[in-house]
Amino acid sequence: MAKRNNDHISIQDALKEFVETNRLEKGLDKVNVADAWAKLMGNGVNNYTNSVNLERETLYVQLNSSVLREELSYGKQKIITMLNEELGKEIIKKLILR
């Protein structure tokens, strides 16, 4: 139940409460994860990225370069850690490169 009192509430807190109340958070996480991937991986990787999908706690990234896929597979845990830090919460537990 949303707070219904006269205390001042920041717009950020109000939006967060609205999102959580309406269960929009998972959808926003999917968008935020894709944005975080694009930001952290840079143009070099983004040019070879076809899609970024979050399903539960697994991030599926489709790449159109087998060489890049091989390179990134060595640093999976580091990528997961960087993305979670960027997102400010532990969203991704597993990374699948296709």
Side-chain angles (χ1 to χ4, degrees):
M1 212 52 184
K3 290 181 199 146
R4 296 269 183 251
N5 57 25
N6 293 332
D7 290 344
H8 291 290
I9 183 168
S10 74
I11 290 174
Q12 184 178 0
D13 288 342
L15 274 174
K16 186 171 187 235
E17 195 171 290
F18 173 81
V19 164
E20 288 170 355
T21 302
N22 293 287
R23 299 186 198 274
L24 298 174
E25 203 163 357
K26 287 203 186 323
L28 287 175
D29 284 345
K30 289 183 180 197
V31 172
N32 293 341
V33 166
D35 288 347
W37 175 269
K39 180 180 173 187
L40 291 173
M41 301 314 278
N43 286 338
V45 172
N46 287 320
N47 290 337
Y48 295 101
T49 302
N50 290 339
S51 67
V52 178
N53 291 312
L54 180 67
E55 298 291 329
R56 294 193 185 91
E57 296 177 332
T58 303
L59 182 64
Y60 296 91
V61 179
Q62 190 165 4
L63 301 164
N64 58 15
S65 165
S66 55
V67 175
L68 181 61
R69 189 178 314 116
E70 188 73 21
E71 284 292 313
L72 293 178
S73 70
Y74 295 119
K76 275 186 184 181
Q77 195 51 55
K78 185 178 181 198
I79 294 169
I80 291 170
T81 302
M82 284 179 7
L83 288 169
N84 283 331
E85 281 175 8
E86 176 69 24
L87 294 161
K89 56 183 171 177
E90 201 75 15
I91 296 175
I92 305 161
K93 299 266 194 275
K94 193 173 176 188
L95 174 63
I96 306 285
L97 302 168
R98 304 191 225 200

